[in-house]
Amino acid sequence: MINRRFIVSFVWAAIRRLAPNVIRFLGMPNNIRKLRHRTIKELERDSNRSFKYAFPETKCVGVKLKLATGAVTFKNKTTWDTNFYDEELEVSLHRWTWLWFDLDTGKTVMRAEIGLALINSWLDTCSYNVRFGLDAYSASERAANGGLFLLTQLDSPNNTDLSNSFKNIGLQITKNLEYFEGDRTGNHALNNARGLLFAGVLSRSSAMINLSSAIIYERLPILVTPDGFLRECSSHYHFLFTRWILEICWLAERYELDALFQFVSPYATSLVERCWFFLVRDDTTGQWSIPLIGDISPDVEPSWLLSLP
């Protein structure tokens, strides 16, 4: 006799494969479903507009973009269509994490004019390619990495074309929110909220900010244990998740989103304190490391997050 749990799991897997949007819709809490509907209506008013990006592409030629492993050298716009043997390398090219690694100078953050030119080149080439709009996690990473870069590295990041582009990224995230059945939602919906918060701030969209806040209020108590650990049982993801929460905290404080800041701050404090649980110091070299327990994220190397606490 076939196990009932197997049948239920198989049916959900089939629906997830054949009708992913139905699964996402059913997996959302009712208040988030309503906010999502309003946000889509607001953002779609601008979705058919085309934008012109003025950027000196010659500044980007020869720049090395750090990927999940290794790097790719930017030659021209066709670099964004590079085919890789590993899917993780391809998605890392489109998540803009390379903004935080200036491989040419050895500095932590890419030079402002180079980073801005690369962002504009990607937007000009890939913004309306459907292939890059269906992956809400990658769109969320673009919004967060790009948003944090623009807000910290530029004196005036809120020009009209960039603002409208972040509306488009926010629409991609909103349409593909990663809510699934049962426990399968994991941390992805929270990362979607992080991306929506950056996109909402940069495009001055209160609808995106409200949707982001609602997701954060719903997800954080589920994802973090009462004693402050990420429930996913991964040392690397605990650090990565803590980074997300600290970024949300920073953004909420900077833009006076007081209710959100008050809600997130205790989680941020607790998550940072628990980071120290994983840190191990070598008595001989003085170097710090973390034991790699559970899943390892391809987005950033574990060593890059060690100084987070």
Side-chain angles (χ1 to χ4, degrees), residues 230-246:
L230 178 66
R231 288 188 186 275
E232 293 192 12
C233 301
S234 162
S235 55
H236 188 204
Y237 269 99
H238 182 91
F239 276 72
L240 187 63
F241 185 83
T242 302
R243 174 201 163 191
W244 297 351
I245 301 306
L246 288 173

Side-chain angles (χ1 to χ4, degrees), residues 69-103:
T69 56
V72 64
T73 301
F74 184 87
K75 298 177 181 177
N76 51 45
K77 291 180 183 179
T78 62
T79 302
W80 305 121
D81 293 320
T82 303
N83 291 317
F84 296 93
Y85 63 89
D86 186 341
E87 183 182 356
E88 294 295 351
L89 293 178
E90 182 172 343
V91 295
S92 69
L93 178 63
H94 301 292
R95 290 178 179 176
W96 298 3
T97 310
W98 34 261
L99 287 166
W100 302 108
F101 302 92
D102 192 336
L103 298 180

Side-chain angles (χ1 to χ4, degrees), residues 28 38 41 79 97 124 197 210 227 239 257 270 283 301:
M28 291 176 206
R38 288 182 216 148
K41 283 185 67 176
T79 302
T97 310
D124 185 52
L197 190 62
N210 290 337
D227 53 354
F239 276 72
L257 305 172
S270 184
D283 290 335
E301 297 167 3

